[in-house]
C-alpha cells in the first residue's frame, strides 16, 4: 500500500479495525465516459473523540468552536464541525453573474441557478436522500448525460455507481435522523469550449443517520470477506447516530444553444469526483451505506490519517491509497 504524502494527514496506528469509505472519479464528455479512477479511504471507529477534542481545542485560536459530545437523534450534529455549516440551499452560494462567451449576464445567472437546483435535487432533497429516484435532478441534464446516468440507475456497478452523483441512502440500511443536510462549499464559473460556460462546484454534504433494519448485514455473495451481521436486537446499536460526509467536485457545461440542441434549463455533466467518509468501501448498488460498526475487516492502515472536514486538500480524485479518516 502506498503512503499518501499530505501535510494535512497525521500518522495512524497500524492494522486496526476501520470503517470503510471510498473515493471515485469519472468524467463524462460529450455524453461519453472517458476516464475512471478509484481509490479507498478508511475511517477509524475510535477516532471521533480525539477529533472532537482537537477541534474544540482550536477555538482559542479563532477556529469554529465545536462542543464535544456523542451525537443523538435529538442532537445529531453534536461534536461535529458540520454543526456550523449552512442548512441545505443556504450552503450553495452563487457568485455574481457576468457575461461569458456567448452568454449574457442574465443567461449566466440562469445557468448558475440550474446548477444549484441540480445540487439540491441530487444531495439535499429529502425524497432523494431517503432513497428515491432523483427525477428532479435528471430533468436538468441534457439528453446524452441523462441517458448515461439513467443507465447507471438501472444497472449500477462499482465503476458506474449513481452514488457518484446522488446522495441516496437505502432505508433498509441507513435512515436520516433529520431532513436537514449540512452544506459547505464553493461554486465558480469560466468560459468553456466554443464560447460556452463551464461551472465548477466543490461542496461537502453532511448527513446524520441511524441504522436501518438491515444495517451491517452481509450482502449475499457480493459482500466482502469479514462482513458480519449487525447486532439487530441491541438497543444501543439501534440508537446509534452516525454522520457521513460526502464531498463532490463536479463540472457542468453549457454550450451555445444554437448549436448544442440543449433545452432551456439543462446542463451537460463533465468531470465527476466524490469522496465518502464513513461509508462502507464495497459500493456499487446505487446507494450510500453508512458504516455503523457492523462491517469489521482487518486491513493494514499504516498510512496517514485524513480529515473529512478539511476542504483544503484540493483535488479529491485520482489514484490514492487506503488512509485512516478521523471521526465524522
Amino acid at each position: 500500500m502506498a503512503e499518501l504524502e499530505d501535510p494535512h494527514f497525521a500518522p495512524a496506528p497500524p492494522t486496526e479495525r476501520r470503517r470503510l469509505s471510498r473515493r471515485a472519479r469519472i468524467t463524462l464528455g460529450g455524453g461519453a465516459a472517458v476516464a475512471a479512477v478509484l481509490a479507498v479511504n478508511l475511517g477509524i471507529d475510535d477516532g471521533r473523540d480525539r477529533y472532537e477534542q482537537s477541534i474544540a481545542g482550536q477555538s482559542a485560536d479563532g477556529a469554529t468552536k465545536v462542543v464535544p459530545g456523542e451525537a443523538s437523534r435529538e442532537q445529531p450534529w453534536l461534536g461535529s464541525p458540520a454543526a456550523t455549516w449552512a442548512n441545505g440551499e443556504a450552503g450553495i452560494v452563487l457568485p455574481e453573474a457576468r457575461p461569458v462567451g456567448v452568454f449574457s449576464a442574465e443567461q449566466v445567472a440562469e445557468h448558475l441557478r440550474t446548477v444549484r437546483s441540480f445540487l439540491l435535487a441530487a444531495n439535499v432533497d429529502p425524497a432523494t436522500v431517503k432513497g428515491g429516484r432523483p427525477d428532479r435532478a435528471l430533468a436538468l441534464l441534457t439528453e446524452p448525460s441523462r441517458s448515461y446516468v439513467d443507465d447507471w440507475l438501472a444497472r449500477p456497478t462499482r465503476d458506474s455507481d449513481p452514488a457518484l452523483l446522488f446522495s441516496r441512502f437505502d432505508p433498509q440500511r441507513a435512515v436520516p435522523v433529520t431532513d436537514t443536510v449540512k452544506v459547505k462549499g464553493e461554486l465558480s464559473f469560466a468560459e468553456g469550449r466554443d464560447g460556452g460556460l463551464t461551472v465548477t462546484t466543490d461542496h461537502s454534504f453532511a448527513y446524520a443517520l441511524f441504522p436501518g433494519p438491515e444495517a451491517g448485514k452481509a450482502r449475499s455473495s457480493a459482500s466482502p470477506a469479514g462482513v458480519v451481521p449487525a447486532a439487530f436486537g441491541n438497543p444501543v446499536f439501534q440508537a446509534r447516530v452516525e454522520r457521513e460526509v460526502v464531498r463532490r467536485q463536479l463540472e457542468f457545461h453549457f454550450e451555445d444553444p444554437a448549436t448544442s440542441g440543449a433545452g432551456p434549463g439543462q446542463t451537460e455533466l463533465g468531470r465527476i469526483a466524490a469522496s465518502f467518509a464513513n461509508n462502507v468501501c464495497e459500493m456499487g448498488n446505487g446507494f450510500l451505506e453508512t458504516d455503523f460498526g457492523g462491517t469489521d475487516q482487518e486491513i493494514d492502515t499504516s498510512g496517514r490519517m485524513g480529515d473529512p472536514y478539511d476542504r483544503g486538500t484540493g483535488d479529491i480524485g485520482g489514484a490514492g491509497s487506503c488512509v485512516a479518516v478521523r471521526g465524522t
Side-chain angles (χ1 to χ4, degrees):
M1 180 190 311
E3 183 175 83
L4 295 183
E5 296 298 330
D6 191 316
H8 297 287
F9 288 76
T15 315
E16 295 187 25
R17 291 185 176 181
R18 311 282 177 158
R19 292 196 305 266
L20 300 179
S21 60
R22 178 185 174 204
R23 290 181 181 177
R25 179 175 67 189
I26 192 167
T27 303
L28 297 183
V34 297
V37 183
L38 303 179
V40 294
N41 292 342
L42 298 178
I44 180 169
D45 268 329
D46 60 356
R48 183 182 300 104
D49 291 339
R50 295 196 299 273
Y51 177 67
E52 289 168 355
Q53 292 166 9
S54 68
I55 293 293
Q58 293 172 11
S59 60
D61 299 327
T64 301
K65 181 176 177 60
V66 175
V67 179
E70 189 72 18
S72 66
R73 298 194 189 189
E74 291 74 29
Q75 300 187 73
W77 308 111
L78 186 63
S80 169
T84 63
W85 291 5
N87 295 338
E89 182 175 357
I92 303 176
V93 179
L94 303 183
E96 182 178 356
R98 55 178 172 77
V100 171
V102 301
F103 298 111
S104 67
E106 292 76 14
Q107 290 172 316
V108 169
E110 180 182 353
H111 293 331
L112 296 178
R113 289 191 292 269
T114 295
V115 169
R116 179 175 60 188
S117 295
F118 180 90
L119 294 174
L120 293 173
N123 300 282
V124 177
D125 184 351
T128 299
V129 174
K130 293 175 182 177
R133 180 179 168 82
D135 288 323
R136 290 177 56 195
L138 291 171
L140 299 172
L141 299 178
T142 58
E143 195 283 328
S145 291
R146 185 170 62 252
S147 177
Y148 269 89
V149 176
D150 261 330
D151 188 61
W152 294 359
L153 288 162
R155 289 170 290 275
T157 68
R158 180 180 173 86
D159 295 339
S160 56
D161 190 344
L164 295 175
L165 268 178
F166 307 117
S167 294
R168 302 192 305 155
F169 294 90
D170 180 349
Q172 294 299 307
R173 301 276 174 165
V175 181
V177 174
T178 171
D179 286 345
T180 298
V181 178
K182 293 292 188 175
V183 184
K184 185 173 184 178
E186 301 85 32
L187 184 153
S188 62
F189 64 93
E191 184 170 346
R193 58 188 179 232
D194 299 324
L197 173 72
T198 295
V199 180
T200 303
T201 68
D202 181 354
H203 291 85
S204 295
F205 302 88
Y207 305 89
L209 307 110
F210 64 87
E214 296 187 5
K217 187 176 180 181
R219 288 187 182 274
S220 64
S221 60
S223 296
V227 175
V228 297
F232 300 113
N234 186 333
V236 175
F237 176 82
Q238 294 296 334
R240 187 168 187 171
V241 171
E242 291 283 351
R243 279 148 336 213
E244 179 158 350
V245 181
V246 178
R247 185 177 177 186
R248 302 191 188 278
Q249 294 177 337
L250 305 173
E251 278 186 1
F252 300 86
H253 299 296
F254 297 87
E255 298 186 9
D256 186 346
T259 58
S260 67
Q266 291 186 325
T267 183
E268 176 187 330
L269 288 171
R271 178 180 179 274
I272 301 168
S275 66
F276 312 93
N278 200 20
N279 193 87
V280 300
C281 187
E282 291 300 318
M283 299 174 66
N285 70 339
F287 295 94
L288 300 177
E289 184 174 347
T290 304
D291 188 348
F292 293 100
T295 53
D296 292 336
Q297 301 186 63
E298 294 287 349
I299 297 179
D300 178 14
T301 55
S302 57
R304 297 175 181 269
M305 186 177 290
D307 180 351
Y309 294 99
D310 179 7
R311 293 186 43 78
T313 54
D315 185 359
I316 61 175
S321 301
C322 294
V323 296
V325 175
R326 296 175 181 177
T328 55

